[in-house]
Amino acid sequence: MRSRQRMFAAVMRLLLKCLRLGRRRRFKLVRQAQQLWHYGHLCLRSLLYNSFTNSDVVLDSLFEPVYWLVDHVTRWFGVVFVALVIGLTSSIVAIVYICLLPLILQTYTPAWICWHLAYGHWNLIMIVFHYYMAITTSPGHPPQAKDDLTGVSICRKCIAPKPARTHHCSICNRCVLKMDHHCPWLNNCVGHYNHRYFFSFCLFMTMGCIYCSISGWEMFRDAYAAIERMKLLEKERLQVAANQTYYQTPPPTFSFRQRAFHKSVVYLWVLCSSVALALGALTLWHAALITRGETSIERHINKKERQRLQKKGKVFRNPYSYGSWDNWKVFLGVDTPRHWLTRVLLPSPHLPHGTGLSWDLPPCVTEQRAPLLAI
C-alpha cells in the first residue's frame, strides 16, 4: 500500500515538473517572439526614419511604382511614337502629292501654283530637317571627368556635380544640360543642344498643318458633301435592289478611286486641323517660356522662388533672362541680321551659345545685366 502511494506521489511530482518546464519553455518562446517583433519594428523605423518626412514625401513614395512604370513605358514606346509621327506625316505628304497636287495644277492660276509649290516644299523641308536633328542630336550631358566640373548642386541619383540648369532625366537615366523635358514623340530629351530643333519642328509642323487646313477647306467641304451624297445614293440603290430581282450584283454608283479621293481629303483636313490645335497650343506655351528665358522645369522652380521671395517683400528676377528680344536671339543663335535668313528661315545645324556647363553673357545680348545667383 505504501509502495503504491510512493509511486503515485512520484508520478505526480514528475507530472508537475513537466508542466512547470513546459510552461517555462512556452513563456520563453513568447518572450523571444516579442523581442524579435520589437527588434524588427525598431529596425524598420530606423530604416524609414526621416526628420524631413511630410505628406509630399509620403505621396511621392506611394506613387514611386507609378513613376517607375511611366518611365519604362515611355522609354520603350518612344520608338512607336516616332514611327507614328513619321507614318502620319508621310501619309499627309502622299495624299497631297497623289490627290491634291494634280488638282492644283489643273485648276489654279500660275501664280497660285508657284506659291503652293514654293511654300509647301519649303515648309516640308524645314519639318523634316528639324525633326531629324531633334531626334538624332544629343541634348548634352555633363562630362564623365568630374575633376574640373563646377556644379551648383549634387545630383542625388548620379551622385555627381550638377551644373546650373542641369536636371536628371529618369527615363534616360542621365543628367541633361538645360533640360526642358523628355519628349516621347522624339524618343529623346529636349536639352541644350536640341532645344532649338524641337521648337522649330513644333513651329513649322503647326504652320504646315494650318496651311493644309486653310488651303484645303473648300476641298474638305466638297469631299464631305460628296461622301454624304454617296451614302444617300447607296442607301437608295440598296432599297431599289431589294424590290427587284437581279441575276448579278449591280455595279457600284461611285468608283473606288472617287471614294478614296474624297475620304483622303477628309482624313487630311481632320488630321491637320487636330494637330494644328494641339501642337499650336504646345508651341505657344514654349514660345512664352522662351520669351521669359526659362525652360519647362525652370518655370516651376522660378514660380516657387518667386512666391518665396514675395513673402519676404523681395522681387525675383530670372538670372538667365536678358529681355524678350534678346532671349529669342540667344535661343535661335542670331548674332547678325543675316542670321535671321540663314539660321532661322533656312535649315541650319549651328550650335547654341555656350557649352551648357557655364552661362556667360552671350555676345548677341545688347544690355549687360547685373550678375545674379543661379537658381
Side-chain angles (χ1 to χ4, degrees):
M1 187 68 179
R2 291 182 177 179
S3 61
R4 291 181 180 179
Q5 291 178 352
R6 290 176 182 175
M7 186 180 296
F8 179 74
V11 171
M12 292 300 295
R13 284 196 298 268
L14 181 63
L15 182 61
L16 291 174
K17 187 176 181 179
C18 291
L19 289 175
R20 283 195 296 268
L21 288 175
R23 187 177 299 172
R24 290 176 183 175
R25 197 171 288 174
R26 186 169 64 252
F27 289 157
K28 187 177 181 181
L29 291 176
V30 172
R31 285 197 301 270
Q32 289 179 351
Q34 290 177 349
Q35 290 177 357
L36 288 176
W37 168 259
H38 290 304
Y39 179 75
H41 185 65
L42 181 63
C43 289
L44 185 63
R45 291 191 63 183
S46 65
L47 291 174
L48 299 178
Y49 176 75
N50 186 355
S51 59
F52 298 100
T53 300
N54 53 24
S55 59
D56 294 337
V57 176
V58 173
L59 287 176
D60 289 341
S61 301
L62 293 176
F63 279 95
E64 191 64 31
V66 179
Y67 298 149
W68 180 89
L69 181 63
V70 171
D71 292 344
H72 284 71
V73 167
T74 305
R75 185 183 306 171
W76 289 108
F77 271 78
V79 180
V80 178
F81 290 153
V82 171
L84 187 62
V85 172
I86 296 175
L88 293 177
T89 306
S90 301
S91 66
I92 295 299
V93 174
I95 291 173
V96 170
Y97 274 101
I98 296 174
C99 299
L100 301 186
L101 186 59
L103 186 62
I104 290 174
L105 295 177
Q106 294 175 2
T107 58
Y108 284 29
T109 61
W112 277 110
I113 291 175
C114 293
W115 154 253
H116 284 293
L117 290 177
Y119 179 82
H121 286 89
W122 169 78
N123 203 342
L124 179 61
I125 291 173
M126 297 298 284
I127 291 173
V128 173
F129 171 79
H130 287 102
Y131 187 70
Y132 174 78
M133 295 299 293
I135 62 177
T136 57
T137 303
S138 173
H141 307 282
Q144 297 296 326
K146 303 177 177 62
D147 298 334
D148 301 330
L149 182 61
T150 59
V152 297
S153 61
I154 299 295
C155 178
R156 62 179 182 179
K157 295 186 178 180
C158 296
I159 316 299
K162 187 167 64 173
R165 312 187 80 178
T166 299
H167 299 279
H168 187 89
C169 177
S170 57
I171 300 175
C172 299
N173 199 23
R174 295 187 66 180
C175 282
V176 178
L177 300 176
K178 192 194 170 187
M179 179 179 175
D180 188 271
H181 68 287
H182 184 94
C183 182
W185 300 102
L186 301 180
N187 195 27
N188 196 8
C189 264
V190 178
H192 179 62
Y193 289 104
N194 65 347
H195 194 181
R196 179 178 65 88
Y197 297 131
F198 164 76
F199 177 78
S200 298
F201 163 72
C202 293
L203 176 63
F204 289 112
M205 177 64 81
T206 303
M207 292 171 56
C209 291
I210 293 175
Y211 162 73
C212 291
S213 298
I214 294 177
S215 60
W217 169 245
E218 294 296 334
M219 297 181 184
F220 166 74
R221 291 179 58 185
D222 296 339
Y224 186 80
I227 291 175
E228 293 297 323
R229 190 165 58 254
M230 288 179 188
K231 293 179 180 179
L232 181 61
L233 293 177
E234 184 71 17
K235 184 178 180 180
E236 294 178 354
R237 188 181 67 86
L238 292 176
Q239 291 177 353
V240 173
N243 298 327
Q244 297 179 359
T245 303
Y246 286 95
Y247 294 101
Q248 59 182 2
T249 304
T253 309
F254 294 91
S255 64
F256 173 79
R257 183 175 181 180
Q258 291 174 326
R259 295 175 182 272
F261 175 82
H262 295 306
K263 291 182 179 180
S264 297
V265 172
V266 173
Y267 163 79
L268 179 143
W269 192 88
V270 171
L271 179 61
C272 289
S273 300
S274 304
V275 173
L277 291 176
L279 194 59
L282 179 65
T283 305
L284 291 176
W285 163 254
H286 280 278
L289 294 177
I290 295 170
T291 304
R292 295 196 295 263
E294 57 188 11
T295 62
S296 299
I297 297 177
E298 291 173 349
R299 188 252 178 190
H300 299 285
I301 298 175
N302 294 348
K303 182 179 179 180
K304 292 182 179 179
E305 188 69 11
R306 188 177 293 107
Q307 293 174 353
R308 184 183 70 84
L309 293 177
Q310 188 177 4
K311 293 179 180 179
K312 296 182 178 182
K314 299 180 181 180
V315 178
F316 170 79
R317 193 178 74 189
N318 184 8
Y320 308 114
S321 178
Y322 310 105
S324 301
W325 181 247
D326 286 336
N327 286 338
W328 279 102
K329 291 171 63 177
V330 171
F331 178 79
L332 298 174
V334 176
D335 298 329
T336 60
R338 65 184 179 87
H339 285 166
W340 290 103
L341 174 63
T342 59
R343 293 187 175 185
V344 179
L345 297 180
L346 293 177
S348 176
H350 66 278
L351 297 176
H353 288 293
T355 61
L357 302 175
S358 59
W359 298 96
D360 301 327
L361 191 70
C364 61
V365 175
T366 56
E367 295 182 4
Q368 182 79 23
R369 295 186 179 272
L372 296 176
L373 180 64
I375 298 175

